[in-house]
Amino acid sequence: MRAALYRRPGPANEVLEVLDLETPEPGPEEVRVRITVSGINPTDWKTRAGTNRRRPDGFQIPHHDGAGVVDAVGPGVIGLAVGQRVWTYLAAYHNRWGTAAEYAVLPASRVVPLPDEASDELGACLGVPALTAAHCLGGSFKSLEGRTVLVAGGAGAVGHFAIELATFAGAAVVTTVSSEEKAELARAAGADHVLRYDEPDVAQRIGDLVGGVDRVVEVAPGANMELDLAVLNQGGTISTYAAEPELVLAGGPLMSGNVRLEFVLLYGVSAHELAAAVGWTADALAAGALSALPIAAYPLERVAAAQEHVEQGFVGKVVVRP
């Protein structure tokens, strides 16, 4: 098979190479997926660049997310069959066979059926961003009905799915964005109210529109904490999925508001919580409630350029087509 891989951390155009490898075989409770679309997330390029402590064991085929067709199943696999369309998540976590290849082998628990109505592009958009969004929203759609959610950065990948999942759950959604282009994307995702965060009196405008919010899905806690606390209802939750080197917190307002502050990294989410996020995402997908982000597609041979496009902050989803 053709595959992209790196043997050491470093810049994309220095360490990523595309070559032929022997096609791997699935082991017990594993499946092999013929990849049609491989989705790239910030965590993929950050891991390749060496911003965390994970290092390749010999080599690493990158990318967690993807869509394709089950090509082979190992012993003990239940609920998946050869020929079935699927989407993947966390494919490259503690596993060298990520989705930036013609075939990926991964645990069957990280492979989810893809409905006939859903495109491969949409399937490759899910994974890390949709599951992060679901977990930041509380992991269960039942807890959101009739609630109000503020999504910071509603045009980003996590923000996009947070809007759609919260709307599917029956919540009212307010989102903040930085440009009119991003505002259009947030409206298309179904946000009830879209505001520019750089305009004056944003907190007052949110208050006038919805009174207050019960949960915040936050991409920039340092920059937005004052706004979040100003609009959050008593006992509300701020759930952030962004890593910041330093975060100074206002202890008084947090305590007086009985605020719950959550930090979310998908790698550390428990199996039970992850399964809940997968179930919510799959239900929304089956109901036609999720949509693909704007796509920038690259061939596998240009995987380095594709990862660099994500590094540069592309608004949408960069994918590779093996």
Side-chain angles (χ1 to χ4, degrees):
M1 69 175 186
R2 294 293 281 172
L5 60 80
Y6 60 96
R7 305 177 192 278
R8 61 178 176 84
N13 61 0
E14 293 182 13
V15 301
L16 282 169
E17 53 185 321
V18 179
L19 41 72
D20 291 317
L21 291 177
E22 184 175 349
T23 304
E25 295 294 331
E29 299 183 347
E30 291 182 336
V31 300
R32 185 171 67 203
V33 178
R34 177 174 58 80
I35 300 297
T36 55
V37 183
S38 172
I40 308 176
N41 297 289
T43 189
D44 296 315
W45 74 256
K46 290 176 182 178
T47 300
R48 182 264 307 150
T51 60
N52 54 40
R53 297 180 180 179
R54 291 191 291 277
R55 296 293 184 270
D57 180 14
F59 69 84
Q60 177 66 56
I61 297 174
H63 303 175
H64 290 306
D65 297 346
V69 177
V70 174
D71 176 73
V73 298
V77 172
I78 299 173
L80 294 169
V82 172
Q84 188 171 14
R85 296 179 67 233
V86 293
W87 58 277
T88 74
Y89 66 92
L90 296 184
Y93 182 56
H94 293 315
N95 177 38
R96 64 170 46 171
W97 308 105
T99 67
E102 291 179 324
Y103 295 90
V105 167
L106 67 160
S109 59
R110 302 180 196 170
V111 178
V112 188
L114 185 64
D116 291 340
E117 299 77 16
S119 68
D120 288 357
E121 288 76 13
L122 174 53
C125 283
L126 301 173
V128 169
L131 300 184
T132 297
H135 189 69
C136 285
L137 288 168
S140 170
F141 72 91
K142 295 179 181 179
S143 64
L144 275 187
E145 186 174 4
R147 302 286 186 173
T148 303
V149 175
L150 169 61
V151 177
V158 175
H160 173 85
F161 288 116
I163 292 170
E164 293 190 330
L165 287 168
T167 301
F168 174 66
V173 180
V174 183
T175 188
T176 54
V177 296
S178 60
S179 69
E180 184 54 34
E181 175 193 7
K182 293 180 178 180
E184 287 301 317
L185 291 174
R187 293 188 190 101
D192 297 289
H193 306 286
V194 181
L195 303 174
R196 290 279 295 271
Y197 69 76
D198 54 354
E199 294 180 350
D201 303 320
V202 176
Q204 180 62 51
R205 292 181 63 194
I206 292 175
D208 292 343
L209 288 168
V210 298
V213 304
D214 302 297
R215 180 176 284 270
V216 180
V217 178
E218 184 56 74
V219 66
N224 297 333
M225 187 61 68
E226 183 177 352
L227 170 62
D228 294 344
L229 293 175
V231 301
L232 195 64
N233 289 332
Q234 187 78 10
T237 298
I238 301 171
S239 189
T240 179
Y241 56 94
E244 296 189 349
E246 294 184 359
L247 181 60
V248 179
L249 300 175
L254 286 165
M255 178 171 284
S256 63
N258 280 301
V259 175
R260 179 182 178 90
L261 182 58
E262 300 177 338
F263 295 87
V264 174
L265 181 63
L266 202 60
Y267 300 119
V269 171
S270 71
H272 173 75
E273 292 170 318
L274 193 56
V278 171
W280 184 356
T281 301
D283 288 346
L285 185 62
L290 303 183
S291 65
L293 293 148
I295 297 291
Y298 288 78
L300 183 63
E301 302 296 328
R302 297 192 63 212
V303 65
Q307 286 204 4
E308 289 170 346
H309 203 168
V310 179
E311 288 189 60
Q312 293 159 5
F314 175 69
V315 179
K317 191 73 171 182
V318 179
V319 303
V320 165
R321 301 184 188 278

